[in-house]
């Protein structure tokens, strides 16, 4: 993905928050004014790419990615790593305690989603009166990502500030929280507007760009999260009936480099192997933007714990050992007889040893090791640089929203709307790809539980599980034996937001924090 240095980000986040007098008397040098900038189609394009760039940063920021922050509260993975203190803020998310408002990873995710929203607002605001030929598509992409970020934020934090305008002065940053219902309303308004102005997946100008199908699918998902099941169904049907979208024939192909931005992908964040990141020349931007995917190395099997098999796992090399599967996930695959999908997701200890691997240290000493290693999003030599430092140059993309999830959401919506026959059709598409027999004759809550279990297996290690458990009211039963309490249904509002946003006080903190 093209990388751009954005002067507008500088103006928006540093200029406006500076002292008014200093900002007026000492304007930044070599920076074009915003009004003039958005008169060029090329500049508009670069501003839109800036939104994608911020998304790439947020889901891959070293140690703080939105990918891991969303995933770790679920019951399919443990934080792992060298020990409990290795990135302890992630361990606090994983174990629910002592999670508090100073957690640096939840703070980073909050800040970067709002930075992406701010960039989106900047594009939307400056193109309202534009006559440029790329105006409508640019606004549509900006509104899609504004909707995506608000959805992620309200899912994780509940009631949040609804920032839909570009601040004109420092005082404009003071903004109270809006109820989640208002956040959903804004998301729906944005998505309704953009669906008609985004191209079909087969016609997007660059493969990483969002399509009409992505917006339709997101609208359906947002409606399901509000239990507006009947309203969601037409949006899912539009995606399902569009030949641009389909499941990959083989489950293992979903994660291969050959299927990047493929027919199953609705929203995917791209990374490259060609940045030439190394340890010694300052080319790796710790805490900053990198075009390579550092989290693949972060999540590969830890080298000092595991001697990897030479065959049986495609090009597997060592990593830093985070995001380890739970025994609960292993047992769920085994109970379902789901070998094909299990083998595309994880490798049990017995299979690992049978392939020639070995555990170098006492396994009881490996933090969060529960008898399996993850295969989905693992360290494959063919997905990193053939030259230079392999650990720093993975090009593996994050598939944030897949067609498979749309089928499962549609199955849920049909089931909750009383149309169990259609629910089973969509559910069985997923099962068939996994090599499992069709479910037949199920209805009502029995069918719903089958959908819940199928989603656990299909989307394991993709960051959806915990948030589904919350909305389904299943956290207290599924997370029994952990330190989970009901306050953990939401993350704490970052202390830095309460400190800097003068419209908020400690009374606005989420309950229990």
């Amino acid at each position: 993905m093209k990388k751009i240095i954005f002067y507008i980000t500088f103006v928006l986040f540093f200029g406006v928050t500076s002292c008014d007098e200093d900002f007026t008397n000492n304007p930044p040098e070599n920076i074009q004014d915003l009004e003039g900038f958005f008169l060029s189609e090329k500049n508009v394009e670069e501003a839109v790419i800036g939104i994608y760039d911020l998304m790439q940063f947020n889901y891959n920021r070293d140690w703080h990615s939105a990918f891991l922050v969303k995933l770790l509260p679920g019951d399919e993975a443990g934080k792992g790593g060298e020990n409990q203190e290795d990135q302890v803020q992630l361990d606090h998310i994983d174990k629910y305690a002592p999670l508090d408002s100073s957690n640096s990873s939840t703070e980073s995710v909050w800040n970067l989603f709002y930075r992406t929203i701010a960039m989106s607002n900047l594009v939307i605001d400056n193109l309202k009166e534009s006559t440029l030929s790329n105006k409508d598509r640019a606004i549509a992409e900006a509104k899609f990502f504004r909707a995506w970020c608000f959805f992620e934020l309200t899912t994780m934090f509940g009631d949040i500030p609804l920032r839909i305008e570009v601040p004109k002065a420092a005082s404009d940053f003071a903004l109270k929280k809006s109820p989640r219902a208002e956040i959903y309303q804004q998301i729906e308004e944005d998505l309704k507007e953009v669906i008609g102005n985004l191209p079909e997946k087969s016609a997007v100008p660059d493969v990483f760009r969002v399509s009409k199908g992505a917006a339709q699918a997101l609208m359906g998902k947002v409606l399901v999260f509000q239990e507006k099941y009947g309203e969601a169904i037409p949006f899912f049907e539009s995606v399902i009936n569009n030949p641009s979208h389909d499941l990959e024939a083989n489950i293992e192909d979903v994660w291969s480099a050959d299927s990047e931005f493929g027919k199953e992908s609705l929203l995917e964040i791209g990374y490259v192997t060609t940045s030439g990141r190394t340890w010694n020349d300052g080319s790796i931007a710790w805490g900053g933007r990198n075009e390579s995917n550092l989290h693949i190395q972060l999540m590969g099997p830890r080298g000092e714990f595991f001697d990897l098999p030479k065959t049986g796992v495609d090009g597997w090399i060592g990593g830093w050992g985070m995001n380890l599967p739970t025994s609960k996930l292993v047992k769920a695959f085994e109970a379902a007889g789901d070998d094909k999908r299990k083998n595309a997701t994880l490798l049990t200890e017995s299979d690992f040893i049978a392939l020639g691997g070995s555990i170098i240290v006492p396994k009881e000493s490996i933090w969060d090791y529960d008898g399996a290693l993850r295969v989905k999003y693992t360290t494959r030599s063919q997905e990193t640089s053939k030259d230079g430092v392999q650990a720093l140059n993975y090009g593996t993309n994050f598939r944030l929203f897949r067609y498979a999830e749309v089928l499962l959401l549609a199955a849920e919506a049909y089931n909750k709307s009383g149309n169990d026959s259609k629910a089973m059709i969509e559910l069985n598409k997923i099962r068939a790809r996994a090599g499992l027999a069709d479910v037949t004759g199920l209805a009502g809550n029995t069918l719903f539980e089958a959908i819940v279990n199928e989603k656990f297996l299909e989307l394991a290690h993709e960051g959806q599980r915990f948030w589904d458990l919350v909305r389904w009211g299943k956290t207290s039963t599924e997370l029994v034996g952990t330190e989970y309490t009901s306050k953990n249904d939401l993350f704490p509002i970052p202390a830095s937001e309460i400190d800097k946003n003068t419209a908020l006080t400690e009374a606005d903190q989420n309950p229990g924090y």
Side-chain angles (χ1 to χ4, degrees), residues 308-447:
L308 300 180
K310 302 301 184 287
T311 60
V313 181
D314 194 16
W316 214 5
I317 55 179
W320 297 339
M322 291 192 174
N323 188 8
L324 291 172
T326 60
S327 61
K328 179 177 181 177
L329 179 61
V330 175
K331 291 173 183 176
F333 277 118
E334 292 174 345
D338 191 355
D339 293 335
K340 187 174 182 180
R341 190 164 43 186
K342 181 189 75 172
N343 293 336
T345 305
L346 55 85
L347 191 65
T348 63
E349 182 177 305
S350 58
D351 288 340
F352 172 72
I353 293 172
L355 288 170
S358 62
I359 303 175
I360 302 170
V361 300
K363 59 186 179 183
E364 296 79 10
S365 68
I366 302 174
W367 185 249
D368 279 335
Y369 177 65
D370 216 2
L373 294 171
R374 184 182 29 74
V375 174
K376 185 184 289 188
Y377 286 132
T378 195
T379 38
R380 293 182 172 89
S381 60
Q382 63 268 35
E383 295 185 13
T384 186
S385 174
K386 298 296 183 287
D387 302 311
V389 180
Q390 288 184 313
L392 303 179
N393 289 288
Y394 282 96
T396 308
N397 292 354
F398 279 142
R399 282 74 163 170
L400 298 187
F401 200 10
R402 294 196 285 126
Y403 182 69
E405 184 179 353
V406 172
L407 296 180
L408 290 165
L409 286 164
E412 180 181 350
Y414 282 129
N415 169 252
K416 293 296 186 179
S417 300
N419 196 334
D420 290 334
S421 60
K422 284 192 174 181
M424 283 187 285
I425 289 172
E426 305 310 329
L427 176 61
N428 284 332
K429 291 176 184 177
I430 299 291
R431 291 179 61 82
R433 201 255 301 267
L436 300 175
D438 285 356
V439 296
T440 58
L442 300 185
N445 191 62
T446 303
L447 177 56

Side-chain angles (χ1 to χ4, degrees), residues 248-290:
E248 297 289 345
N250 300 309
I251 183 64
E252 61 270 15
D253 291 341
V254 175
W255 317 109
S256 74
D258 292 339
S259 70
E260 289 181 349
F261 304 111
K263 60 186 177 181
E264 189 162 339
S265 179
L266 290 163
L267 180 60
E268 186 167 330
I269 303 296
Y271 300 93
V272 299
T273 63
T274 55
S275 296
R277 308 295 183 190
T278 69
W279 297 115
N280 300 319
D281 64 358
S283 66
I284 190 71
W286 297 114
R289 289 178 170 86
N290 292 284

Side-chain angles (χ1 to χ4, degrees), residues 142-167:
K143 287 193 173 183
F144 173 88
F145 282 111
R146 183 167 74 177
W148 178 274
C149 293
F150 275 131
F151 184 47
E152 294 277 62
L153 282 166
T154 197
T155 298
M156 291 187 282
F157 296 93
D159 299 344
I160 55 173
L162 184 60
R163 298 189 179 276
I164 57 172
E165 296 180 351
V166 176

Side-chain angles (χ1 to χ4, degrees), residues 171 173-175 497-505:
S171 59
F173 282 94
L175 191 64
E497 177 70 19
I498 294 176
D499 290 343
K500 295 175 184 177
N501 183 346
T502 57
L504 300 181
T505 69

Side-chain angles (χ1 to χ4, degrees), residues 37-49 123-124 126-128 130-142 197-199 205 209:
F37 180 86
F38 282 98
L39 295 177
S40 160
E41 290 183 0
K42 177 178 179 293
N43 288 352
V44 169
E45 183 76 359
E46 290 189 351
V48 171
I49 297 300
V123 171
I124 295 163
N126 281 277
L127 291 180
K128 286 178 180 177
S130 175
T131 59
L132 295 176
S133 64
N134 59 348
K135 165 194 170 180
D136 289 343
R137 195 195 73 207
I139 290 177
E141 287 181 274
N197 288 322
L198 287 173
R209 307 288 278 266

Side-chain angles (χ1 to χ4, degrees), residues 93-312:
I93 295 170
D94 181 32
K95 306 299 190 293
Y96 314 108
L99 180 61
D100 58 34
S101 62
S102 65
N103 188 281
S104 57
S105 289
T106 55
E107 178 187 37
S108 175
V109 166
W110 171 283
N111 288 339
L112 281 168
F113 275 128
Y114 271 112
R115 284 178 62 181
T116 309
I117 290 167
M119 192 64 162
S120 301
N121 288 340
L122 195 69
V123 171
I124 295 163
D125 188 66
N126 281 277
L127 291 180
K128 286 178 180 177
E129 307 300 326
S130 175
T131 59
L132 295 176
S133 64
N134 59 348
K135 165 194 170 180
D136 289 343
R137 195 195 73 207
I139 290 177
E141 287 181 274
K143 287 193 173 183
F144 173 88
F145 282 111
R146 183 167 74 177
W148 178 274
C149 293
F150 275 131
F151 184 47
E152 294 277 62
L153 282 166
T154 197
T155 298
M156 291 187 282
F157 296 93
D159 299 344
I160 55 173
L162 184 60
R163 298 189 179 276
I164 57 172
E165 296 180 351
V166 176
K168 302 298 190 293
S171 59
D172 293 338
F173 282 94
L175 191 64
K176 293 181 178 295
K177 295 198 301 183
S178 293
R180 180 180 272 174
E182 292 182 16
I183 305 298
Y184 281 140
Q185 181 180 356
Q186 181 62 50
I187 293 169
E188 289 183 41
E189 289 176 6
D190 278 347
L191 292 174
K192 285 176 183 176
E193 289 182 31
V194 310
I195 286 171
N197 288 322
L198 287 173
E200 297 287 357
K201 182 177 176 65
S202 58
V204 293
D206 300 293
V207 292
F208 63 85
R209 307 288 278 266
V210 294
S211 68
K212 177 186 292 188
Q216 291 167 325
L218 180 58
M219 175 69 92
K221 183 173 180 176
V222 170
L223 292 168
V224 165
F225 268 59
Q226 299 173 78
E227 300 184 355
K228 298 178 180 179
Y229 302 110
E231 293 179 43
I233 287 171
F235 293 100
F236 294 139
E237 288 179 340
S238 294
V239 178
I240 293 167
N241 294 330
N242 186 331
S244 296
H245 312 118
D246 203 352
L247 296 173
E248 297 289 345
N250 300 309
I251 183 64
E252 61 270 15
D253 291 341
V254 175
W255 317 109
S256 74
D258 292 339
S259 70
E260 289 181 349
F261 304 111
K263 60 186 177 181
E264 189 162 339
S265 179
L266 290 163
L267 180 60
E268 186 167 330
I269 303 296
Y271 300 93
V272 299
T273 63
T274 55
S275 296
R277 308 295 183 190
T278 69
W279 297 115
N280 300 319
D281 64 358
S283 66
I284 190 71
W286 297 114
R289 289 178 170 86
N290 292 284
E291 297 296 297
S292 55
N293 191 342
L294 295 179
H295 278 74
I296 301 304
Q297 176 67 17
L298 191 72
M299 298 189 298
R302 195 167 184 94
E304 65 260 43
F305 296 161
F306 301 97
D307 185 18
L308 300 180
K310 302 301 184 287
T311 60

